[in-house]
Amino acid sequence: MRKKFNEKSFFKSSLVLLGIVMIFYAVSSIILFYLGPLMPQRTESVVSNKNNVSMLTNMSALYEENPDIVGWIKIEGTVIDYPVMYTKDDGEFYLYRNFYKNKDVNGSIFLDEHCTMDPFSTNLLLHGHNMNNGSMFGALMKYKSQDFYNSHKRILFDTLYENQVYEIISVFKSKVYNVSDNVFKYYKFYNAKNKEEFKDFVDNIKRLSLYDTGVTARYGDKFITLSTCENSTPNGRFVVVAKKIKEVD
């Protein structure tokens, strides 16, 4: 005997299904809003050219979405896996904005306005918030432990045109000083004009390091410096400096 069609039951089921679909899309939107784009797998394939240098395929799609992107930073085994933004005329534009330029308390990882990618600065200074939940550059706090450093010595940085690898040379605490303070200010080093300036930077970051990494540098090497807030002192900063060691496929 055929069961009688129950309109009320069918209507309830439809509403439940619709609700599940709406929740799925809402959650997906929230994830994209807060986490930003997902980085495609590293690749050496090319899609366009600039000065006879080919853009990486895995960066091209992101560049089309937002041409302010200049790279992607990743430290394996941590949550640091983010696009790097750059606005020369407004250095703090991404301080509280995400990849999509929407207001976001997390902000973005961004390259200091005084640095350049073409030509490449001696030191690429990257800024990021130290979030309470450990996101953005909050994970850098783990480098206070030498044991953590021992298993996370390398930083991956993809520019628009090449895959790069950096080896950590120094981990230290510092602060933002008064303009008149005659002290070493890591955040003022962008380009080494000569060997003396280069040596002064290396000597100071090695002196301040929480532990000896055993990594050295010589004139001509390139650096990437990750800087975030640190609350043990007013205007405190926690800093991780790494040296470029090779390009990878």
Side-chain angles (χ1 to χ4, degrees):
M1 180 176 180
R2 295 181 63 184
K3 292 183 179 181
K4 184 177 180 181
F5 178 73
N6 190 327
E7 292 184 357
K8 184 179 291 186
S9 177
F10 177 78
F11 181 70
K12 287 182 178 179
S13 298
S14 299
L15 285 178
V16 170
L17 181 61
L18 179 61
I20 292 173
V21 172
M22 292 178 67
I23 291 173
F24 173 79
Y25 280 105
V27 170
S28 299
S29 298
I30 291 173
I31 291 175
L32 284 174
F33 180 83
Y34 284 103
L35 297 184
L38 297 178
M39 179 61 174
Q41 185 177 0
R42 277 186 153 197
T43 176
E44 62 176 345
S45 300
V46 298
V47 293
S48 60
N49 291 281
K50 177 185 177 182
N51 300 327
N52 295 321
V53 180
S54 301
M55 184 181 292
L56 300 172
T57 357
N58 60 355
M59 298 301 296
S60 177
L62 296 170
Y63 183 80
E64 289 180 4
E65 285 191 73
N66 186 346
D68 288 342
I69 189 172
V70 292
W72 192 284
I73 186 166
K74 178 181 177 66
I75 301 179
E76 293 182 343
T78 77
V79 300
I80 296 176
D81 192 6
Y82 301 112
V84 176
M85 315 307 292
Y86 177 64
T87 46
K88 183 178 180 180
D89 297 326
D90 185 359
E92 296 188 347
F93 180 83
Y94 284 98
L95 185 63
Y96 292 109
R97 289 185 176 89
N98 59 26
F99 174 83
Y100 303 104
K101 300 185 179 182
N102 297 321
K103 290 184 178 180
D104 187 339
V105 67
N106 295 287
S108 297
I109 307 303
F110 60 94
L111 178 65
D112 193 276
E113 62 190 295
H114 297 95
C115 298
T116 59
M117 300 290 289
D118 185 18
F120 230 74
S121 295
T122 305
N123 182 39
L124 297 179
L125 175 58
L126 305 188
H127 304 280
H129 289 303
N130 177 8
M131 302 304 293
N132 290 331
N133 63 6
S135 63
M136 308 312 291
F137 273 174
L140 292 181
M141 296 300 109
K142 296 181 180 180
Y143 279 103
K144 291 180 179 180
S145 165
Q146 188 171 2
D147 287 340
F148 182 82
Y149 157 78
N150 287 336
S151 56
H152 301 82
K153 294 182 177 182
R154 292 188 173 185
I155 296 172
L156 305 181
F157 181 62
D158 289 353
T159 71
L160 296 178
Y161 301 97
E162 63 177 331
N163 298 319
Q164 300 179 348
V165 179
Y166 290 76
E167 185 175 25
I168 295 174
I169 185 173
S170 176
V171 175
F172 60 92
K173 293 181 183 180
S174 187
K175 62 179 289 185
V176 176
Y177 293 95
N178 296 323
V179 175
S180 59
D181 291 340
N182 186 23
V183 295
F184 171 66
K185 300 172 182 176
Y186 74 92
Y187 49 86
K188 291 294 185 180
F189 180 73
Y190 314 112
N191 285 293
K193 297 177 182 178
N194 49 53
K195 290 183 179 180
E196 288 71 27
E197 284 190 2
F198 184 92
K199 183 177 184 301
D200 181 69
F201 176 74
V202 174
D203 287 348
N204 275 288
I205 64 173
K206 295 291 286 181
R207 174 181 58 83
L208 292 171
S209 192
L210 299 180
Y211 39 82
D212 184 10
T213 63
V215 181
T216 59
R218 60 184 181 181
Y219 185 59
D221 284 340
K222 301 293 186 181
F223 301 100
I224 190 168
T225 297
L226 315 186
S227 175
T228 192
C229 293
E230 201 276 333
N231 59 14
S232 65
T233 186
N235 297 316
R237 295 291 185 272
F238 192 78
V239 188
V240 176
V241 182
K243 176 189 72 173
K244 185 181 178 185
I245 55 173
K246 66 178 180 179
E247 298 171 12
V248 296
D249 293 333

